[in-house]
Amino acid sequence: PGIAATYANLRHHLVHQQARNPVPGFWTGLGAVRRDAFHSVGGFDAAFGRPSIEDVEFGLRLSAVQRTIEVVPEANGTHLKAWTAIGLWKTDLFSRGIPWGRAIATHPALASAMNGSPRARIAILSISISALSAVLAMVAGVAGLGLSAITFGVIAFVGLGAWVLLERKLFGLMARHRGRATAIGGLGFHAIHHLTVPAVCLFGVMLGRWEGTAIEPVASRRRVAWLLVAWVPTLVMVLVVAMATMAGPASIHDRLLDLEAGMRGLSIGRFQPRYDEAATARLLARLPVLLLPSLLFGVVISWFGPCRLEASMQDLLSSLRETFRFRMGLGIATSLLAMILLLGILRTEVPMRTDEAATVMSHGLANPLVIMGNYQTPNNHMLHSMLVWTSIQCFGTEPWAVRLPAMLFCLACVPLIAVATARLRGDLAGLLAAAMFVCLPSTLELGTNARGYPIVVACMLAMIAMLPMMARNRPGAGLGFAVAGAVGLMAVPIMAYPLGLLYGGLFIGRWRNGGFGEAMRCVPFALVTVLLAATWYLPAWIAAPGDGPLGTVSRQLPLVAGGDRAVVDELGKVGHWLGKAWKQWAWPVPEGWSWLVTIPIVVSIAAGLVRGRAVGMLAAGILVGPAVVLAITGFGAPPWWTMAWIPPVLIVALMAGFPWPLRPGRLGAAGEPVVSSTTPRGIILGGVVIVAAASAIFWLPPDRFRRDYPNRVWIGDAGPVAAWLMEQDLEAGSVRAIGVAHGPVNYELHRRAGLLRSVLIAKGPIDDSKLPVHLLVSAPKVPGSVDPDPSRFLGGRNDLALVDRRVVGGVLVRTYDLSASR
């Protein structure tokens, strides 16, 4: 007659009454089994030692040998077990929850049997959300956040109501047998059951995975090794946070000040420090957030266990080998094309540009901790900046050393675009795509510009190559797909556009082929991509004086930064940037003819949509993905130089989707492209393609590319003006630059004389100790043009007179001093 006994027995009764036959488990409370079947699987397992779920485990073995177990609802009995509240709770946790989880680890079918029905899962989710919201409502109430407290209270009430509605059959059954008072008491028992038993059941699943199976048990050494992998990062983070907290803001501030003084080459007191005491205290307050990704990493490793992790790694390596394998013919051809591109890059004379120089001066010469924390400008493509820092440490600050990481990733894009296209269409299409990529002037831009965009392009091409495997749910491909996307985001946040294209196309393609449920299976991989990239940017947010990466990104979003700019204006700016970018990509084709190239591209996308499979996914992603990302970001127009990822994806779409008179690659049983063998016809055509690519590269004289390529450089050479400045008394005055001149000149001054930031951006006040002022600007292209008004670049001072004006190299140098000094 007790509430606990009534609840426990009627709950058990209802679970079996609602079971869907056949069931994988067995129940000795009221069950019968044929003697021969019982002995054929060895009966009950005595290893349990105490009453637990030995009957369920016995039923699993019966099911494994094709015996059928069914629940007979009409067969009823009376269970005379006198449950107490403590006994019920202990039994649910230790004799059912944990053992049930261990059984699920080896028999996944149990997860959806009887106690694991979809209805029960939704009910558990509802009561969990209700409980969490109730706690948050109380915290908000104590903190004085009235509106938040009311909001969370409403969510808690709705969640509780949904839970009661879902479990109404149990409460109605209790009310019929023992009255409403007992049913109300059963609410409390059932709430405790739904809030605790699923948690310990998951813990049991984790224990089962770490124990392994009877066929493949996990050795103690393996368990220890994986536990160290899972939790050592968290222990290290705890130690770092504890040591920083004990040191205190004052000690940390002094250490950061010494570090910055060494980086600047100036003594303390002669510069405005990056971190004041308030900023240091804010850094220490944010530091514990580093524990979140390490804890999440440990939980994920612990949840999957050694066997599943090792199997996942094997699947990943197998899928990568299958995706990026080369037949000898395609491998030799792409190697030759990469060498041609390398020679083209080496013979192209390009002076150091502003953005490259900013990468060197602000990040490449800094401590890696500064690189990770100094994310106040989009020039800090952190992953690329770390690679540039490494290159500078090894080879110095010569232009080739600064550009080495970008050049290597650009060269890697040649085989990547070949294999990506080959997986969609065949080896010959891959070879043609690689040749076209090598011949594009924008590819030389990637290889000779020390920025992070070649990393973005390489990661995007790797994801395209894995798209056919993702289309057919190849084990291991999803993890590689997610990691490649995260690396691209780590390089430059503009990777969001290729990610939108690829995940959008994958979602549409799976929905088209297998329905909405199949499409949703790609969402976890997208979340993994975002979480990995967010973990990478977390130190930058912690160390930033302001909002760090969040502030940098939000400043590019018009609805956040401005709010008053019309969407139509932003779309017009998108068109403007696209036009400017197209002028880059199509050079040296005359502007009036360059738009004809869009015709085969449009045909390719349409043909890809009709063909379907991975090619159709790519085509659908091109049409939908970037537009969705643009809308999510408030229609903030990305500048033309960030669109470097567009030409490679259009080349892949053109070669894979266009109805060329080429025999497509053979398809396997699952619809995947099979790498075609090399034929004499293919060898001849490959040779022609390589010769054509070499001719296109070497037809352009280096000086013509340097001179005529639109929007490529702003000043011809900063060397002469740097040499001239070194002859001046830099300590006696100030050197300031307008716009793009400060970066290259600073770089040349450092490369020649080891000077750090001798040229400042023209802004802020000027006192007499900084006179005379040398004001640098790109030399006007039209002789005799009027110089811009310098007053706003001279700190608002109107008492300064022009005492000298000269053009040195590609830089106009104007010197200002007091009128009396003239």
Side-chain angles (χ1 to χ4, degrees):
I3 296 176
T6 301
Y7 161 72
N9 289 309
L10 291 182
R11 182 192 72 193
H12 215 160
H13 163 75
L14 189 61
V15 166
H16 288 82
Q17 286 288 311
Q18 294 179 331
R20 291 178 295 178
N21 286 317
V23 293
F26 188 76
W27 187 45
T28 54
L30 183 60
V33 57
R34 296 182 185 277
R35 180 185 299 271
D36 63 332
F38 183 82
H39 288 296
S40 69
V41 295
F44 295 121
D45 189 352
F48 282 92
R50 54 173 292 182
S52 180
I53 61 165
E54 69 281 354
D55 49 356
V56 176
E57 192 273 340
F58 163 71
L60 292 172
R61 283 184 280 123
L62 274 182
S63 300
V65 296
Q66 308 305 315
R67 295 281 187 167
T68 300
I69 306 171
E70 291 192 354
V71 172
V72 184
E74 297 79 12
N76 288 277
T78 301
H79 202 183
L80 297 177
K81 190 166 185 176
W83 290 102
T84 63
I86 298 298
L88 173 63
W89 184 74
K90 289 174 62 178
T91 301
D92 277 348
L93 294 185
F94 302 108
S95 296
R96 287 183 181 156
I98 293 178
W100 192 276
R102 282 177 166 168
I104 290 175
T106 54
H107 299 85
L110 275 179
S112 58
M114 294 189 288
N115 296 351
S117 66
R119 186 187 187 92
R121 294 181 182 183
I122 296 174
I124 291 169
L125 182 62
S126 298
I127 189 66
S128 301
I129 293 175
S130 176
L132 178 62
S133 299
V135 172
L136 293 175
M138 289 186 288
V139 171
V142 172
L145 304 174
L147 182 59
S148 298
I150 294 173
T151 302
F152 284 122
V154 170
I155 295 174
F157 182 78
V158 172
L160 181 62
W163 175 72
V164 172
L165 184 64
L166 289 167
E167 297 296 322
R168 64 186 182 277
K169 287 187 178 181
L170 175 60
F171 304 136
L173 187 63
M174 293 182 66
R176 289 196 300 273
H177 279 263
R178 289 289 189 267
R180 292 183 179 179
T182 302
I184 293 173
L187 278 171
F189 281 105
H190 201 48
I192 294 173
H193 175 79
H194 271 181
L195 290 172
T196 57
V197 173
V200 298
C201 185
L202 294 175
F203 181 68
V205 172
M206 186 174 66
L207 289 178
R209 289 174 175 174
W210 280 83
E211 292 167 356
T213 63
I215 300 176
E216 187 186 0
V218 180
S220 299
R221 290 183 178 180
R222 284 173 65 197
R223 281 198 290 263
V224 171
W226 279 106
L227 282 172
L228 291 176
V229 171
W231 294 107
V232 164
T234 300
L235 295 177
V236 171
M237 286 297 102
V238 169
L239 184 62
V240 169
V241 172
M243 292 177 62
T245 303
M246 289 188 293
S251 176
I252 299 295
H253 177 255
D254 292 340
R255 174 65 184 137
L256 291 174
L257 202 58
D258 291 338
L259 183 67
E260 190 172 2
M263 185 197 76
R264 290 177 178 269
L266 300 173
S267 60
I268 297 175
R270 296 189 61 192
F271 62 89
Q272 183 68 31
R274 172 178 170 76
Y275 293 99
D276 55 17
E277 294 184 2
T280 305
R282 184 169 56 250
L283 186 152
L284 288 180
R286 292 176 175 177
L287 197 60
V289 181
L290 277 177
L291 294 173
L292 294 179
S294 60
L295 282 171
L296 181 61
F297 177 77
V299 169
V300 169
I301 297 293
S302 300
W303 170 250
F304 285 104
C307 292
R308 298 190 71 180
L309 286 170
E310 291 167 5
S312 298
M313 295 303 297
Q314 291 173 359
D315 288 338
L316 172 62
L317 293 176
S318 176
S319 67
L320 292 178
R321 284 194 297 267
E322 184 179 339
T323 299
F324 297 104
R325 75 189 188 282
F326 274 97
R327 295 189 69 88
M328 183 178 295
L330 185 61
I332 293 174
T334 53
S335 299
L336 290 174
L337 287 172
M339 291 177 61
I340 291 171
L341 177 59
L342 175 61
L343 292 175
I345 291 173
L346 295 178
R347 71 188 293 269
T348 302
E349 302 171 3
V350 180
M352 184 64 63
R353 284 150 293 184
T354 297
D355 290 333
E356 296 179 281
T359 299
V360 176
M361 302 305 297
S362 298
H363 313 301
L365 299 176
N367 186 287
L369 295 177
V370 175
I371 296 174
M372 293 295 294
N374 186 14
Y375 204 89
Q376 297 302 306
T377 166
N379 280 329
N380 187 8
H381 302 166
M382 282 196 300
L383 181 57
H384 175 258
S385 296
M386 294 290 289
L387 295 174
V388 169
W389 179 86
T390 303
S391 181
I392 287 176
Q393 299 304 308
C394 296
F395 307 114
T397 57
E398 291 301 311
W400 70 266
V402 173
R403 293 165 174 165
L404 182 61
M407 182 189 71
L408 292 178
F409 274 96
C410 182
L411 294 176
C413 289
V414 178
L416 283 173
I417 197 170
V419 74
T421 311
R423 294 299 169 263
L424 299 179
R425 186 69 182 270
D427 282 5
L428 190 54
L431 176 59
L432 293 174
M436 183 175 291
F437 176 76
V438 167
C439 293
L440 278 184
S442 58
T443 302
L444 281 179
E445 170 73 18
L446 283 176
T448 59
N449 193 353
R451 306 296 302 278
Y453 299 110
I455 306 177
V456 171
V457 175
C459 292
M460 178 193 68
L461 292 173
M463 294 178 73
I464 294 175
M466 287 184 278
L467 198 58
M469 290 194 174
M470 291 293 292
R472 65 180 198 271
N473 287 322
R474 168 69 156 80
L479 181 58
F481 200 76
V483 171
V487 173
L489 272 179
M490 294 171 188
V492 191
I494 201 65
M495 181 68 185
Y497 282 89
L499 284 177
L501 185 155
L502 290 165
Y503 275 114
L506 182 63
F507 188 89
I508 294 170
R510 283 186 168 181
W511 195 348
R512 178 182 177 183
N513 297 329
F516 183 76
E518 181 67 20
M520 290 298 293
R521 294 181 63 181
C522 67
V523 173
F525 299 120
L527 294 177
V528 169
T529 298
V530 174
L531 288 176
L532 287 175
T535 301
W536 168 263
Y537 283 105
L538 194 58
W541 174 77
I542 291 172
D547 294 328
L550 293 177
T552 300
V553 173
S554 65
R555 284 194 295 271
Q556 312 303 317
L557 307 182
L559 299 184
V560 176
D564 55 342
R565 287 184 281 179
V567 172
V568 175
D569 294 339
E570 288 300 317
L571 290 176
K573 190 181 295 184
V574 171
H576 170 74
W577 286 132
L578 278 173
K580 204 164 188 177
W582 185 264
K583 188 177 180 181
Q584 294 279 121
W585 304 334
W587 181 85
V589 177
E591 189 172 353
W593 294 92
S594 63
W595 291 100
L596 294 176
V597 181
T598 60
I599 297 175
I601 293 175
V602 172
V603 172
S604 302
I605 294 174
L609 291 173
V610 173
R611 184 174 294 122
R613 295 196 180 94
V615 178
M617 291 180 177
L618 182 65
I622 291 174
L623 293 178
V624 176
V628 171
V629 175
L630 187 67
I632 292 175
T633 56
F635 299 96
W640 64 266
W641 58 85
T642 66
M643 300 180 183
W645 59 272
I646 295 181
V649 78
L650 292 181
I651 290 174
V652 175
L654 180 64
M655 290 298 149
F658 194 82
W660 302 101
L662 301 175
R663 186 174 61 184
R666 295 183 294 108
L667 297 180
E672 77 280 8
V674 177
V675 178
S676 57
S677 60
T678 304
T679 62
R681 178 171 172 265
I683 294 174
I684 295 173
L685 185 56
V688 171
V689 167
I690 292 171
V691 171
S695 301
I697 287 290
F698 294 104
W699 171 70
L700 294 174
D703 59 342
R704 181 187 172 192
F705 185 80
R706 170 183 174 179
R707 182 182 67 250
D708 297 338
Y709 191 49
N711 306 316
R712 183 171 177 83
V713 293
W714 292 276
I715 58 174
D717 190 357
V721 72
W724 179 80
L725 287 173
M726 289 168 58
E727 298 173 357
Q728 312 304 309
D729 185 6
L730 295 179
E731 295 294 330
S734 172
V735 182
R736 302 192 169 211
I738 300 171
V740 299
H742 76 281
V745 176
N746 265 328
Y747 168 77
E748 288 293 334
L749 287 172
H750 174 77
R751 190 164 70 96
R752 294 165 183 248
L755 301 177
L756 284 172
R757 296 178 182 83
S758 301
V759 179
L760 305 175
I761 299 177
K763 61 181 181 180
I766 298 176
D767 56 41
D768 289 350
S769 65
K770 298 177 181 178
L771 297 177
V773 177
H774 301 295
L775 196 61
L776 313 182
V777 66
S778 299
K781 295 182 179 180
V782 180
S785 59
V786 179
D787 295 343
D789 181 14
S791 61
R792 66 189 186 96
F793 304 116
L794 299 177
R797 295 188 61 166
N798 296 317
D799 57 338
L800 300 180
L802 178 66
V803 297
D804 186 53
R805 183 188 187 280
R806 66 181 67 197
V807 175
V808 183
V811 179
L812 169 63
V813 184
R814 290 172 291 169
T815 304
Y816 296 87
D817 204 345
L818 291 172
S819 301
S821 303
R822 187 177 181 183

